[in-house]
Amino acid sequence: MAVNPNPKPSNRSARFKRVSLAVFAVFGAIAVAFASINASSSGAGDNARSRLTLIAPAGAGGGWDGAAREAQQAMRAQGIVNNAQVVNIPGAGGTIGLTKFAGMSGENTTMMIMGITMLGAININGSDVSLDDVTPIARLTDDYDVLVVPADSPYNSVEDLVADWKKDPSGFAFGGGSLGSVDQMIITQLAQAGGITPTDVNYIAYSGGGELATSLLSGTIKASVSGYVDFADQIEAGKLKALAVSAPERPEGIDLPTLKELGYDIELTNWRGIVAAPGITGEQKKELQAIVTEIVATPEWHDAIERNQWTDTFLTGEEFEEFLAAETAAVNKIWDELGY
């Protein structure tokens, strides 16, 4: 698969400068984040009710960051935790944050947002750390991806898009989230279903929905798959055209056909969950599960679900652990079948 995170470089030195600045920015952000976590966890006798840090293993503005900040708002509004903080650790589909978090054994005042994209990133990036190295707490929500094109695109259906895509797969720029993301899985599965060799897909990874929308409107990419909320404003404004949604059935409030009903056997959901550090005690795990259970019962969280058009799929305990094991196996199977 051709992956081009900088689709229009001006020259080698300019490209090197941009990459260097990006690398320094990422490492600088990570250093600040690590310092924040260490500072928030330094108090003697701390417990999760007195202070709690939520790691969003992505940059500000993304889905994991949004879920973390909605949870933070609910905790603050209802007094569930005295001091609730959010720390961003971006990079590599969440695996940089996961690697740091997996090394925080016994840290009972920190949790991390995660989801299906992290499973894909672990696989495609060859991460040495997996979700077996942390403590499952709960699944929170499901979110659905939509397939969009610019409003002036000649494609008025998924069938139109796939027919043209097949003519020159490597020349057809498709955009989505980080490598291994649910966006990339959906695009690659759509390619395979349409008779396109998955490794021929020209997939361009972006850090957020805002960048994706800008690239669509500028013509840098021809189509994109990402969360509905990432494109909702542009769709409503008539600047982007939505063709289908990747859900088992049409979600309430999203009037689009599903890929499955259009004949493509694809129904991946962008679920999000939350995990704790390894090495915590059984009592500490129960306390963190209780905190998350209280969060999802608040009016603030219910409002967040409605505003973001998420689906409430809260699951905890052994059921979540079984779900996580099944999803890990399913994602690994997808990438194996696609030749990665």
Side-chain angles (χ1 to χ4, degrees):
M1 175 178 293
V3 177
N4 181 6
N6 294 296
K8 289 187 177 181
S10 58
N11 54 58
R12 180 176 296 180
S13 64
R15 182 167 66 249
F16 178 78
K17 182 177 181 180
R18 285 197 300 272
V19 171
S20 298
L21 288 173
V23 169
F24 281 123
V26 168
F27 279 104
I30 292 170
V32 170
F34 288 178
S36 299
I37 293 172
N38 291 336
S40 69
S41 305
S42 61
D46 277 351
N47 61 68
R49 293 286 181 176
S50 64
R51 63 171 73 227
L52 182 67
T53 298
L54 291 179
I55 296 175
W64 287 338
D65 177 69
R69 294 186 188 280
E70 297 286 11
Q72 178 192 40
Q73 175 60 25
M75 285 188 284
R76 287 178 171 176
Q78 299 299 325
I80 296 171
V81 171
N82 290 337
N83 182 8
Q85 303 294 329
V86 173
V87 171
N88 295 88
I89 306 179
T95 56
I96 290 177
L98 174 62
T99 299
K100 169 64 179 177
F101 193 46
M104 298 171 63
S105 183
E107 171 48 55
N108 68 302
T109 62
T110 304
M111 291 193 287
M112 183 181 72
I113 303 293
M114 44 69 73
I116 190 173
T117 286
M118 185 173 285
L119 297 179
I122 288 168
N123 187 298
I124 204 166
N125 290 319
S127 174
D128 293 331
V129 177
S130 75
L131 291 173
D132 291 335
D133 299 306
V134 293
T135 303
I137 295 296
R139 183 177 72 184
L140 300 173
T141 61
D142 279 0
D143 191 9
Y144 302 109
D145 272 16
V146 289
L147 171 59
V148 299
V149 294
D152 60 359
S153 169
Y155 313 129
N156 294 309
S157 68
V158 178
E159 185 179 14
D160 291 344
L161 184 150
V162 171
D164 196 46
W165 190 11
K166 290 173 68 173
K167 295 175 184 177
D168 181 19
S170 62
F172 191 108
F174 233 121
S178 59
L179 295 183
S181 66
V182 67
D183 308 342
Q184 188 181 14
M185 283 188 268
I186 291 169
I187 291 167
T188 310
Q189 284 189 311
L190 181 61
Q192 187 178 52
I196 298 167
T197 302
T199 51
D200 288 342
V201 175
N202 180 8
Y203 182 80
I204 302 175
Y206 290 85
S207 62
E211 290 184 3
L212 282 168
T214 299
S215 292
L216 279 165
L217 296 173
S218 68
T220 302
I221 55 177
K222 290 187 175 183
S224 177
V225 167
S226 191
Y228 181 82
V229 70
D230 291 336
F231 299 129
D233 290 345
Q234 302 286 1
I235 292 170
E236 292 172 8
K239 295 180 179 180
L240 295 178
K241 182 166 43 177
L243 303 180
V245 60
S246 69
E249 55 189 34
R250 296 193 183 198
E252 184 178 349
I254 302 178
D255 186 21
L256 289 171
T258 67
L259 286 168
K260 193 163 188 176
E261 71 182 79
L262 294 175
Y264 302 94
D265 191 17
I266 303 166
E267 53 177 78
L268 288 172
T269 58
N270 188 14
W271 59 266
R272 296 188 179 96
I274 191 164
V275 294
I280 60 173
T281 67
E283 287 302 312
Q284 290 169 339
K285 180 179 178 180
K286 287 180 182 178
E287 183 70 359
L288 292 173
Q289 288 174 329
I291 288 172
V292 176
T293 301
E294 291 172 34
I295 290 170
V296 301
T298 64
E300 289 78 13
W301 185 257
H302 290 166
D303 177 64
I305 286 176
E306 184 175 348
R307 280 187 288 102
N308 293 291
Q309 293 185 292
W310 296 337
T311 300
D312 183 359
T313 53
F314 181 63
L315 194 66
T316 191
E318 290 184 7
E319 289 182 318
F320 176 55
E321 293 177 17
E322 291 170 1
F323 168 81
L324 190 54
E327 284 289 285
T328 300
V331 168
N332 289 341
K333 182 180 179 183
I334 286 172
W335 286 116
D336 287 345
E337 289 178 348
L338 294 174
Y340 291 89

